[in-house]
Amino acid sequence: MELNLLEKDKTSIKIEIINPEETLIYPLVSTLLQDEDVSDAQYYTGHPQLDKPVLYVRTKKNPPQAALKRAAEALAGQFRDAKALVEKALAK
């Protein structure tokens, strides 16, 4: 999965996603929407053969990159917890 910055200003960012991993993108958008500073988070897939998917994030006042970083860290923690649970279950 590769990210290309398309647009950025003080409170919004638009990122093109090449070879997206939807099992990561949808939880990322969901986590972003739970952030109190995020006013909008959308993932546009467009036409499957003509368009590359785009992630759009708008915040209320802080930089959107900070919201993306918080969401990514929260997801990483959830995946670490899930991995630990699976490893514990398999060790029995």
Side-chain angles (χ1 to χ4, degrees):
M1 187 166 81
E2 294 178 43
L3 306 176
N4 289 331
L5 180 63
L6 297 177
E7 295 176 21
K8 179 178 92 169
D9 63 29
K10 287 177 66 174
T11 60
S12 69
I13 193 166
K14 189 184 277 189
I15 302 168
E16 179 182 64
I17 303 172
I18 301 168
N19 299 322
E21 181 56 52
E22 266 116 24
T23 55
L24 176 64
I25 299 296
Y26 290 111
L28 179 66
V29 171
S30 178
T31 303
L32 282 164
L33 289 170
Q34 294 173 15
D35 188 321
E36 290 182 10
D37 188 43
V38 173
S39 59
D40 192 16
Q42 298 180 12
Y43 176 61
Y44 300 102
T45 56
H47 188 280
Q49 295 176 337
L50 302 176
D51 301 318
K52 291 189 175 74
V54 173
L55 176 65
Y56 174 77
V57 179
R58 177 174 296 281
T59 56
K60 294 175 184 171
K61 61 179 179 176
N62 296 312
Q65 302 90 306
L68 280 166
K69 188 174 182 178
R70 283 192 304 272
E73 288 172 353
L75 284 177
Q78 290 175 12
F79 283 115
R80 274 192 297 276
D81 292 346
K83 179 183 175 201
L85 288 172
V86 169
E87 289 173 344
K88 182 178 178 183
L90 294 176
K92 293 180 181 181

